Amino acid sequence: MMKTIFKATLATAALVATGLAFTACDDVKEGDRYIFLGETKAERNVLLEDFTGQFCPNCPDAHHIIEQLEAQYGSDKVIAVSIHCGGLALSKQYTDFPSGRIGLMTEEGNTIMSTYGVKEWPMGSVNMAAATDRFQWAGQVRTALEQPTDVNIDLTVGFEADEANPNIGIINMKADVMSGSDRNAKVQFWVVESGIVASQRLENGTTDNNYVHNNVFRGMAYDMNGYAVDFKSGIARTVETNMQAVWNGQEHWQVENLAVVAIVFDGSGVLNVVRKPVIPKSKPETPDED
């Protein structure tokens, strides 16, 4: 069950933040690797959709590029979502838990893939632009980061365990969105999970059954169209909903590894995006100084 609450509140102008193949993988060319493009000033956050699969031997290289981009700009700026989809992904219906054979494909992920016309893996989209191969991501991410935005998202996430059924829980999501101009846009919430240990085909032809998958797309709150909002300049809009998460059967979500990604987008692409963990990460205690 999912509910949605939508409301608007008047806010001060100061809160408006500007700045804020099925057939096979593509071939890896010798020397084609991530190229450091130098420092840049991040004016916004960027969504990187990574279309991937557990049977794709070149996909770990794409994952490595994502890690490098996160290290350079920060994982709060480059928000990656790995969408397991298509003929090189492993369906969750073949999951054999706890043997380690865990399928990460979702039907929603396949739907997202089809909107981009992806037929080879790995491919990716930066801020919902046309999908490209991984060797173009660094330049596209840098360019996108430098584009200013007048949309700010304040994301709140909570979790409620189901006392009647310990195998499920409810993820609560609320986005308070400010726009610096009048526009029609849409709000979407995605749930992602990191730290999933599952099989992955490697470039050398072997399979690593202990591969760690991060930023894995698990589900979305709304359909592909998102939740439509008529934004007015200087007025905060609140979109609030929830999603049921399952801890057994074919899902095996680990709540401590889940995060919510809130996306505001329109026909031009992503206006801004943020991510927040479902369970806040505890900070290490600082030893008392003498």
Side-chain angles (χ1 to χ4, degrees):
M1 178 179 295
M2 181 177 70
K3 66 177 181 179
T4 298
I5 301 172
F6 172 69
K7 62 183 179 181
T9 55
L10 188 63
T12 63
L15 290 177
V16 181
T18 304
L20 263 189
F22 181 78
T23 53
C25 302
D26 58 339
D27 294 331
V28 177
K29 299 177 183 178
E30 186 67 28
D32 276 341
R33 288 294 182 265
Y34 170 76
I35 300 174
F36 181 77
L37 296 178
E39 299 299 330
T40 188
K41 180 182 178 182
E43 298 288 348
R44 63 156 75 207
N45 302 336
V46 172
L47 175 67
L48 172 53
E49 296 170 80
D50 163 37
F51 299 103
T52 189
Q54 290 170 264
F55 292 121
C56 167
N58 291 334
C59 286
D61 185 60
H63 303 162
H64 181 55
I65 290 172
I66 289 172
E67 291 170 354
Q68 291 176 312
L69 290 169
E70 290 175 330
Q72 180 177 356
Y73 299 115
S75 59
D76 60 330
K77 290 297 181 183
V78 178
I79 298 177
V81 178
S82 290
I83 302 171
H84 289 251
C85 53
L88 296 180
L90 178 61
S91 172
K92 64 183 179 182
Q93 74 183 66
Y94 298 110
T95 291
D96 180 16
F97 188 84
S99 71
R101 185 176 174 83
I102 301 173
L104 301 176
M105 178 198 290
T106 65
E107 289 307 313
E108 292 167 317
N110 286 334
T111 300
I112 297 172
M113 174 197 71
S114 67
T115 65
Y116 290 95
V118 172
K119 299 184 184 305
E120 297 180 347
W121 290 259
M123 295 286 282
S125 169
V126 176
N127 275 355
M128 295 185 175
T132 61
D133 67 62
R134 63 196 184 279
F135 304 118
Q136 300 181 55
W137 295 354
Q140 291 171 338
V141 164
R142 178 188 175 91
T143 298
L145 284 168
E146 293 174 340
Q147 301 303 311
T149 182
D150 65 351
V151 172
N152 182 62
I153 309 170
D154 184 8
L155 175 62
T156 304
V157 181
F159 175 74
E160 297 178 26
D162 190 321
E163 296 181 358
N165 187 343
N167 293 318
I168 63 175
I170 301 297
I171 301 170
N172 297 308
M173 301 163 278
K174 183 178 76 168
D176 295 305
V177 183
M178 283 285 293
S179 174
S181 57
D182 295 352
R183 55 162 52 96
N184 295 316
K186 298 171 182 179
V187 178
Q188 179 64 277
F189 298 99
W190 287 354
V191 174
V192 299
E193 183 176 355
S194 292
I196 303 173
V197 178
S199 62
Q200 175 65 53
R201 190 72 52 82
L202 303 180
E203 187 179 350
N204 62 10
T206 64
T207 297
D208 183 357
N209 290 320
N210 295 305
Y211 189 89
V212 179
H213 296 266
N214 293 315
N215 309 309
V216 175
F217 174 85
R218 286 302 208 175
M220 63 174 69
Y222 303 109
D223 62 20
M224 286 291 298
N225 294 320
Y227 189 88
V229 180
D230 182 17
F231 287 100
K232 300 298 182 183
S233 178
I235 298 178
R237 302 290 194 180
T238 298
V239 178
E240 187 172 2
T241 188
N242 56 47
M243 180 186 297
Q244 180 174 287
V246 184
W247 319 120
N248 64 358
Q250 295 176 338
E251 298 294 348
H252 308 292
W253 298 8
Q254 300 296 317
V255 63
E256 65 274 12
N257 294 332
L258 294 177
V260 172
V261 176
I263 311 164
V264 178
F265 64 101
D266 62 10
S268 68
V270 174
L271 300 171
N272 216 338
V273 56
V274 297
R275 174 174 51 201
K276 184 166 287 189
V278 171
I279 304 296
K281 305 299 182 183
S282 59
K283 297 181 180 180
E285 295 184 2
T286 303
D288 296 333
E289 296 182 358
D290 294 334

